[in-house]
Amino acid sequence: MPGVCLWLNFLESLSEMEPVGCVLIKFPLSSELLFVVVVLVHFPAKFTVIGPPEPVTAILGQEAVLPCHLSPRMSAANMVVRWFRSEFESFVHLYRDGRDQYDEQMPEYQRRTELLKAGLTDGNVPLRILNIRRSDEGEYHCFVQDDTFYEETILELRVAGLGSAPLISVEGHQNGGIRVVCRSAGWYPEPEVQWKDLNGRHLPSLCERKSHGDNKLFETETVIIVTEYSNQNLSCCLRNTILNQEKESAVHIGDPFFPRVNSWMVALSVILVVLFGFFGLTVYLFITKGKYQREKYTVYKVNVTLDPDTAHPKLVLSEDRKSMRCVDMRQDLPDTPERFDIEPCVLGCEGFTLGRHSWEVEVGGWGGWAVGVARESMGRKGRISRNPERGIWAVEQGWGGQFQALSSPVTSLPQRRVPSRIRVCLDCDWGQVTFIDAGDEAPIFTFPPGSVPGERIRPWLWAGWGSQLRLCS
């Protein structure tokens, strides 16, 4: 049959060339009827997945966007986009069937990822990661699939943390000079530390020590000996090599610090300087405390909600995640790294690194309770010591009715001051937490400035059996 032969010849030609569109073949079966056969031959679109040639740099506690796009530009709205680390099945983020798929997502990335869809139709499939952690550092695979065709590329994410400004202190005499120490914390990766004179020339240090703090960030301490005839004007400079940023503090060592006739006069001078410094620090703290008390009503009121992924299995959260109560029976919940497994605790969804924020908590029931803030990096497993050393700043009412601040050591508070509604005021800039009776605006307890480290801080609640706590809107 001529029509069939023509069709077979056309199919043979398809193997020799790129198919596009469809083929229309007409042949008569009778003098009154004409059949039209339309054959659609579909082939997956071919493309290349492209990422940045250089590593992407992100700052701890902030967000990062990992770029990725298709070439040539084409719509990825109906494709599968999978971001993963080393194992294909354990995905960081998955987009499929036109929506994000969060089932079986890696626990450490839950509630922290988002595929930016504004440019999907142009082939852009970037991934945004919130609240960057040290563990996020490393390689990421951007994998895109259209039917049976797929491609991928590999990106590198570098994480960096800019620590605190150097704190310089004079700590007595050594080797015929003055021992000056420079300390700083919160750096990642390990920073470069240098002493400099006024002209920017590097000065040799006596010793240098670097260590990891509880938050796995670097803490540094470097010592220099300043003599009477050496550079008495100097600065301590720390530099993050990834961010190419530095922080610097300067100091002048005056002549009264150096011995003249008798060593006891130098010792007296040092004592006087220390006393004056202590007096000045006391006045400064008094002024800043008064300033804080005047400005405490200007803090930002935040709408805090409870994070169910961190809640202990005995804590029952309301649907709006604003209240909770402790029950006797454990719920059947997955034991993820984020969840408390022994202590009946829960964290708030919100986290803060800068600024002043406040929220209120209503407390009730006959059981014990505690209200405050905690480091996001605090341990979640096993017994937890509720004190600042373990990353918790809070006030509590114990089982026996005692009302106390969870300082180290614990500070007893007047039982007549046990409030029914507590306002928590977090000042990230000063590293300070204040608790206020929301009923009569009377202060309850304040952890002093510098108590809270410069890392992400989240609301924290602890509820004993028989107690109920509710976050106020």
Side-chain angles (χ1 to χ4, degrees), residues 192-420:
E192 291 182 352
V193 184
Q194 293 177 338
W195 289 100
K196 299 179 182 179
D197 61 14
L198 285 180
N199 297 320
R201 291 189 294 264
H202 296 168
L203 303 175
S205 61
L206 176 66
C207 62
E208 183 176 316
R209 181 180 64 86
K210 297 177 182 177
S211 60
H212 283 103
D214 294 339
N215 52 10
K216 306 301 182 182
L217 303 181
F218 282 96
E219 299 177 352
T220 68
E221 179 179 297
T222 181
V223 180
I224 191 172
I225 302 299
V226 181
T227 63
E228 185 176 4
Y229 303 104
S230 64
N231 291 284
Q232 297 180 25
N233 295 286
L234 67 158
S235 64
C236 178
C237 178
L238 283 85
R239 180 173 177 269
N240 187 301
T241 55
I242 292 181
L243 299 175
N244 198 26
Q245 297 182 33
E246 61 185 34
K247 290 191 175 183
E248 185 174 7
S249 297
V251 68
H252 170 72
I253 308 299
D255 290 339
F257 281 93
F258 298 97
R260 291 298 180 183
V261 179
N262 297 317
S263 59
W264 67 268
M265 295 183 65
V266 177
L268 179 61
S269 299
V270 172
I271 292 174
L272 290 175
V273 170
V274 172
L275 289 176
F276 279 116
F278 178 77
F279 176 75
L281 178 61
T282 302
V283 173
Y284 172 75
L285 291 178
F286 178 80
I287 294 174
T288 55
K289 180 179 180 181
K291 180 180 179 182
Y292 179 82
Q293 292 296 328
R294 292 192 300 271
E295 296 180 351
K296 64 183 179 181
Y297 300 107
T298 64
V299 298
Y300 295 101
K301 295 181 179 180
V302 292
N303 185 23
V304 175
T305 56
L306 302 176
D307 185 355
D309 293 336
T310 66
H312 185 274
K314 285 189 177 183
L315 295 180
V316 178
L317 274 57
S318 61
E319 291 185 3
D320 61 358
R321 295 188 295 179
K322 300 290 288 184
S323 63
M324 70 178 202
R325 57 189 177 89
C326 184
V327 298
D328 192 36
M329 183 70 68
R330 294 175 68 97
Q331 303 172 85
D332 186 15
L333 298 174
D335 185 17
T336 60
E338 288 79 13
R339 190 179 304 282
F340 293 97
D341 63 347
I342 299 296
E343 297 290 340
C345 306
V346 64
L347 293 177
C349 293
E350 295 72 22
F352 311 100
T353 56
L354 297 172
R356 297 194 296 270
H357 312 274
S358 74
W359 58 92
E360 294 182 2
V361 184
E362 284 187 357
V363 296
W366 47 266
W369 51 262
V371 173
V373 299
R375 290 189 309 216
E376 186 173 60
S377 61
M378 70 171 295
R380 316 284 174 85
K381 305 302 182 183
R383 291 292 178 186
I384 299 173
S385 299
R386 301 194 295 272
N387 55 49
E389 285 73 17
R390 295 300 181 185
I392 295 175
W393 297 263
V395 295
E396 76 164 9
Q397 178 176 270
W399 290 103
Q402 66 273 23
F403 188 39
Q404 57 192 10
L406 298 180
S407 53
S408 185
V410 171
T411 302
S412 297
L413 301 173
Q415 292 195 15
R416 60 181 177 81
R417 295 292 320 142
V418 178
S420 60

Side-chain angles (χ1 to χ4, degrees), residues 49-68:
V49 180
I50 298 178
E54 300 296 329
V56 178
T57 301
I59 299 177
L60 285 168
Q62 299 185 16
E63 67 176 45
V65 175
L66 304 183
C68 184

